[in-house]
Structures are given as structure tokens and as C-alpha cells.
């Protein structure tokens, strides 16, 4: 509990620090606080999308790392555990487009299948 509270205190000063979030993720999941963890990761995801609108670029990483594929997968796993399947699909689609530098292609959101990835 003390470690959890300490990491949450750090996040008040560095709210989107992925190093802290990664350490906190295990603690929150083990204590059954998946909703809190998903909320923190969702906010970090939105922050990184705004900060790096053209996708993830390792040369412009902020301190603490950048939101990448593993973070998108972790967030979607949390959302699935919360039975938020529609939100999980949205994060996968948006996250992959963003990581690929295609965030502006949001017209794919209206497509109910995965033809976005057809050759």
C-alpha cells in the first residue's frame, strides 16, 4: 500500500510518466484497482497522442519513455478486464494508427471490420 501511494504521489507531479505507471500497474492490478489503472493509462495515452501527433518517434521520447505498442496492449487488456470491449477496440484502432503515423485516418472508425489492414 505504501508503494502504491508513493507512486500515485509521484504521478501528481509527473502524471504521464510511463516508468512510474509501469511500476504502479502491477500494484494496482494485484489490489484489484484495474479501473484506476486503466484511467491512468488512458490519460497517458491521450497525452502522448497530443504530444507526438505524428506517431511514436524514439528520437523524441520524453523522459520516462514513450507510449508504444506494449502500453497500447496493456491498456486494452485492462479495458477488456473491465468489460469495456468497445473502448478496447477503439484504443487498438486509434493506437495502431497513431503508432503508424496515420492518426488522421479516423474515417476507419466507421468501418466495423478490419479491412483497414487489407493489402
Amino acid at each position: 500500500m505504501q508503494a502504491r501511494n508513493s507512486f500515485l504521489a509521484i504521478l501528481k507531479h509527473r502524471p504521464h510518466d510511463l516508468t512510474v505507471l509501469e511500476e504502479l500497474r502491477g500494484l494496482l492490478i494485484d489490489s484489484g484497482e484495474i479501473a484506476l489503472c486503466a484511467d491512468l493509462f488512458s490519460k497517458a495515452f491521450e497525452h502522448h497522442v497530443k504530444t507526438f501527433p505524428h506517431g511514436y518517434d524514439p528520437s523524441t521520447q520524453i523522459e520516462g519513455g514513450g507510449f508504444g505498442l506494449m502500453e497500447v496492449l496493456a491498456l486494452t487488456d485492462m479495458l477488456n478486464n473491465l468489460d469495456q470491449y468497445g473502448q478496447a477496440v477503439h484504443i487498438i484502432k486509434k493506437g495502431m494508427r497513431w503508432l503508424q503515423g496515420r492518426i488522421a485516418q479516423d474515417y476507419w472508425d466507421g468501418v466495423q471490420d478490419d479491412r483497414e489492414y487489407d493489402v
Side-chain angles (χ1 to χ4, degrees):
M1 186 62 109
Q2 188 175 5
R4 172 205 177 274
N5 293 339
S6 296
F7 283 125
L8 288 172
I10 293 170
L11 285 179
K12 289 182 181 179
H13 300 283
R14 301 176 61 101
H16 311 296
D17 187 309
L18 292 174
T19 302
V20 175
L21 284 172
E22 187 57 35
E23 293 295 328
L24 187 57
R25 182 168 61 110
L27 296 171
L28 292 177
I29 289 172
D30 288 346
S31 67
E33 296 179 273
I34 297 172
L36 173 59
C37 193
D39 183 57
L40 294 170
F41 267 75
S42 292
K43 289 175 181 172
F45 174 66
E46 291 303 325
H47 167 78
H48 281 81
V49 168
K50 288 177 186 170
T51 303
F52 305 107
H54 302 293
Y56 175 72
D57 180 358
S59 68
T60 59
Q61 279 191 39
I62 60 172
E63 191 174 317
F67 210 98
L69 177 60
M70 294 311 296
E71 289 78 17
V72 170
L73 295 175
L75 174 55
T76 56
D77 188 48
M78 288 178 246
L79 294 169
N80 280 330
N81 280 299
L82 294 167
D83 297 330
Q84 296 179 11
Y85 307 115
Q87 183 64 15
V89 169
H90 173 74
I91 292 295
I92 289 171
K93 287 182 165 190
K94 183 177 180 177
M96 293 312 299
R97 275 188 228 119
W98 172 66
L99 289 170
Q100 295 169 350
R102 305 182 303 112
I103 192 73
Q105 295 181 4
D106 59 356
Y107 51 83
W108 288 110
D109 287 338
V111 177
Q112 297 299 316
D113 56 30
D114 62 355
R115 72 181 91 169
E116 162 178 13
Y117 295 100
D118 290 351
V119 177

